[in-house]
Amino acid sequence: MTEIAERTAPTSAELGRVSHWIGGRIVEGASGRRGPVYDPATGRQAKWVDFGSSEEVDAAVASAAAAFPAWRATSLSRRTEIMFRIRNLVDQRRREIAAILTAEHGKVPSDALGEVARGLENLEFACGIPHLMKGGFSEQVSTGIDVYQIRQPLGVVAGITPFNFPAMVPMWMFANAIACGNTFVLKPSEKDPSASIFIAQLLAEAGVPEGVFNVVHGDKVAVDRILEHPEIKAVSFVGSTPIAKYIYETGTRAGKRVQALGGAKNHMIVLPDADIDMAADAAVSAAYGSAGERCMAVSVVVAVGDVADPLVSAIKQRLPKITVGPGADPASEMGPLVTREHRDKVAAYIGKAADAGADLVADGREHPLADDDGFFLGVSLIDRVTPEMESYQHEIFGPVLEVVRVKTYDEAVKLINDNLYGNGTAIFTRDGGAARQFQFEVEAGMVGINVPIPVPVAYYSFGGWKNSLFGDLHMYGPEGIQFYTRAKLVTSRWPDPGTSKVDLGFPRTR
Ligand code: NAD
């Protein structure tokens, strides 16, 4: 978590300030606590972000609670119209959003635009809300009696989001949440908070009423208040596994509905019959895109049998062609890591793997930019990694690809199924039978067959298994609608008053 700088710390006049968004306007933080926001490409602090107090969370929740009755009563067709307008504004302003992402997260513009595009898909899905909120109806379940189910919004719901997708992950949550008629409080990552405020302003421009969407920045103080606030009915979380577990346990203990998505260690199996060039292209793209700071990044290639030598060699050949540099340079394909602290943590894992006897085929610490003030690291390829090594056991979340060599397909699947994480996984093969067997028995929530990053489209739902997700429902798509609504079952009769009589027997259908 970002270190909190004291109010007394020297401030330079040019540093911008990122404040909260409560009740349809910017509200400057009054807690006296704040944190630095860096430009990862230069390593310089660019802004301060206000850290919310419990009282500031309470103010956002009060604003959301006040907006809820009118928003849930707003007709579906009006809510749909507003969702379409949000969709169009995000589409029109996608370059500006992407530029904010590059400035604070460090990802290169093509990747930032890709993030906005995938977020946009969730807004498009939510534009279908009249269809998605349809219930069911059974006529004449008994004489003159009909039964129907309706889905209703929960009330005030909250989202707590990670640094690696500061625009897309909030859209995973709020698009469906507000389309369903809930009001929303977002606690974005304190590392790259500006996109959330830009998006809040677009929502206001689209006609989202005051209080329907609020943003409170901050750290554990704000998160803990969200988890205990009695008015918040549900919490969606995306971030690392220890925090996801904490959010799930604390939130559910307080009686909330919680979906908490955690970290990952995504394995890509390459079978001996795979097309080596295709597998190497996929591994390189999926491991180093966004500097490996993707929860669906491939971090482990499992090379089966004699595919290992040619595969490692094909991956190695591709590495010198990856241009690392700032997002401002159009030639850059991979930007810096998000903070110096994170860069150093990733670099330490590379050292640990080497110390444990793995083979450092490419060492990102040797990249010329690794000594720069920006938070850069080159790409690393580590061969002959074994499951006991610390670098294998933890999520590294950087541009580091590890190769585990195994003899058989069964060994490869066992490796994945024994892993504590179960977010995404992939298999590269030309054998349809092997692919089908893999799909059948692998223990992970999202599976790619010759597809390295199988992120579901917005009309399915996203979520891992095991320590990659705590809760029952996956995020966005149909399960997102389920998460943000509750079912009400109505049994109805319009009797002829002339037939009415007292009957103390148990209600019968026959
Ligand atoms: P993080 O867990 O450090 O932070 C996520 C959120 O939790 C932030 O808003 C942060 O302010 C808050 N937080 C951090 N520490 C807290 C604490 N002690 N108490 C309460 N709240 C706290 O995660 P991150 O570093 O921002 O993001 C990277 C992680 O997110 C990786 O582990 C990655 O795999 C994971 N991730 C998972 C998915 C997924 O869909 N499963 C998607 C994206 C990212």
Side-chain angles (χ1 to χ4, degrees):
M1 169 149 280
T2 313
E3 211 173 56
I4 301 166
E6 294 300 324
R7 262 280 186 243
T8 49
T11 59
S12 50
E14 72 271 14
L15 287 186
R17 177 175 182 180
V18 188
S19 299
H20 313 303
W21 178 269
I22 300 173
R25 61 184 186 90
I26 302 264
V27 174
E28 291 196 346
S31 72
R33 296 167 66 251
R34 59 184 179 172
V37 180
Y38 293 96
D39 172 356
T42 63
R44 283 195 291 272
Q45 187 182 343
K47 292 176 180 174
W48 288 108
V49 57
D50 292 333
F51 278 9
S53 61
S54 297
E55 292 72 28
E56 284 161 332
V57 171
D58 289 355
V61 175
S63 154
F68 177 64
W71 181 242
R72 74 160 285 212
T74 301
S75 72
L76 267 174
S77 87
R78 171 81 183 135
R79 291 213 301 266
T80 304
E81 184 187 18
I82 291 174
M83 293 314 297
F84 265 98
R85 285 213 217 112
I86 299 172
R87 184 261 163 219
N88 288 346
L89 282 169
V90 169
D91 184 32
Q92 285 157 22
R93 311 289 292 273
R94 61 167 84 200
R95 287 190 184 281
E96 288 158 85
I97 300 172
I100 295 170
L101 304 183
T102 298
E104 292 184 4
H105 174 282
K107 57 180 73 179
V108 297
S110 58
D111 191 32
L113 281 166
E115 168 176 351
V116 181
R118 293 307 299 260
L120 200 62
E121 289 178 16
N122 289 274
L123 291 167
E124 289 168 352
F125 178 77
C127 288
I129 197 66
H131 177 71
L132 298 166
M133 293 271 286
K134 274 184 194 165
F137 193 103
S138 299
E139 189 186 45
Q140 196 73 349
V141 298
S142 185
T143 310
I145 295 187
D146 302 328
V147 169
Y148 49 99
Q149 191 202 48
I150 48 184
R151 298 209 71 89
Q152 297 189 330
L154 306 177
V156 181
V157 299
I160 301 162
T161 53
F163 80 81
N164 66 326
F165 288 110
M168 181 183 77
V169 171
M171 289 189 230
W172 282 4
M173 301 173 180
F174 80 74
N176 287 334
I178 66 171
C180 288
N182 301 284
T183 54
F184 198 85
V185 177
L186 173 67
K187 206 304 281 172
S189 170
E190 67 279 24
K191 295 186 179 116
D192 40 21
S194 296
S196 62
I197 296 298
F198 188 86
I199 290 169
Q201 286 164 329
L202 293 186
L203 263 61
E205 195 181 329
V208 172
E210 287 172 10
V212 170
F213 182 77
N214 306 273
V215 181
V216 179
H217 298 288
D219 57 359
K220 185 170 166 51
V221 172
V223 170
D224 283 347
R225 183 59 189 148
I226 286 172
L227 294 177
E228 73 187 20
H229 199 301
E231 192 81 42
I232 294 178
K233 306 294 182 228
V235 176
S236 300
F237 172 88
V238 175
S240 59
T241 288
I243 311 297
K245 194 161 184 283
Y246 168 75
I247 300 280
Y248 182 75
E249 288 172 355
T250 316
T252 50
R253 208 179 306 126
K256 299 181 196 319
R257 196 177 275 199
V258 180
Q259 51 178 187
L261 278 61
K265 193 85 182 172
N266 303 316
H267 295 61
M268 169 175 152
I269 295 186
V270 182
L271 293 187
D273 71 338
D275 181 309
I276 297 283
D277 283 321
M278 193 180 150
D281 285 340
V284 169
S285 314
Y288 306 116
S290 203
E293 291 172 326
R294 289 179 182 146
C295 64
M296 288 291 278
V298 166
S299 47
V300 182
V301 160
V302 189
V304 179
D306 58 9
V307 81
D309 284 340
L311 181 64
V312 170
S313 151
I315 294 174
K316 184 182 174 188
Q317 268 173 26
R318 285 159 170 78
L319 302 189
K321 297 181 196 128
I322 298 174
T323 311
V324 180
D329 180 350
S332 303
E333 292 170 292
M334 193 186 103
L337 288 135
V338 70
T339 57
R340 177 170 292 116
E341 190 188 23
H342 185 55
R343 193 261 317 266
D344 293 349
K345 187 174 140 200
V346 174
Y349 275 120
I350 302 168
K352 283 177 190 167
D355 293 347
D359 180 5
L360 225 51
V361 181
D363 185 347
R365 298 170 301 178
E366 289 169 0
H367 193 280
L369 280 177
D371 293 327
D372 203 72
D373 289 338
F375 310 140
F376 291 99
L377 202 58
V379 298
S380 297
L381 177 63
I382 311 178
D383 193 8
R384 298 183 192 279
V385 170
T386 57
E388 312 74 53
M389 292 181 184
E390 202 181 331
S391 64
Y392 175 81
Q393 286 174 355
H394 296 108
E395 181 183 37
I396 299 179
F397 218 57
V400 179
L401 179 60
E402 299 191 305
V403 180
V404 178
R405 295 173 174 233
V406 296
K407 291 196 181 70
T408 63
Y409 162 85
D410 287 338
E411 244 185 280
V413 173
K414 182 169 183 330
L415 190 68
I416 298 176
N417 290 353
D418 285 349
N419 197 275
L420 294 177
Y421 297 104
N423 214 38
T425 187
I427 187 164
F428 276 68
T429 179
R430 290 185 172 106
D431 180 342
R436 192 183 175 285
Q437 183 62 21
F438 180 68
Q439 159 207 302
F440 180 73
E441 65 192 352
V442 76
E443 290 179 19
M446 294 168 283
V447 179
I449 296 176
N450 297 312
V451 171
I453 308 186
V455 174
V457 286
Y459 40 98
Y460 285 86
S461 299
F462 183 109
W465 288 11
K466 300 187 273 187
N467 280 355
S468 296
L469 186 142
F470 302 91
D472 306 305
L473 290 171
H474 290 194
M475 203 162 278
Y476 72 71
E479 293 188 42
I481 301 295
Q482 241 179 299
F483 183 77
Y484 290 123
T485 54
R486 55 187 166 174
K488 188 179 272 179
L489 221 285
V490 182
T491 303
S492 154
R493 170 162 62 175
W494 294 98
D496 171 357
T499 64
S500 178
K501 63 175 172 40
V502 172
D503 180 356
L504 300 189
F506 195 72
R508 295 173 298 271
T509 54
R510 295 177 204 174

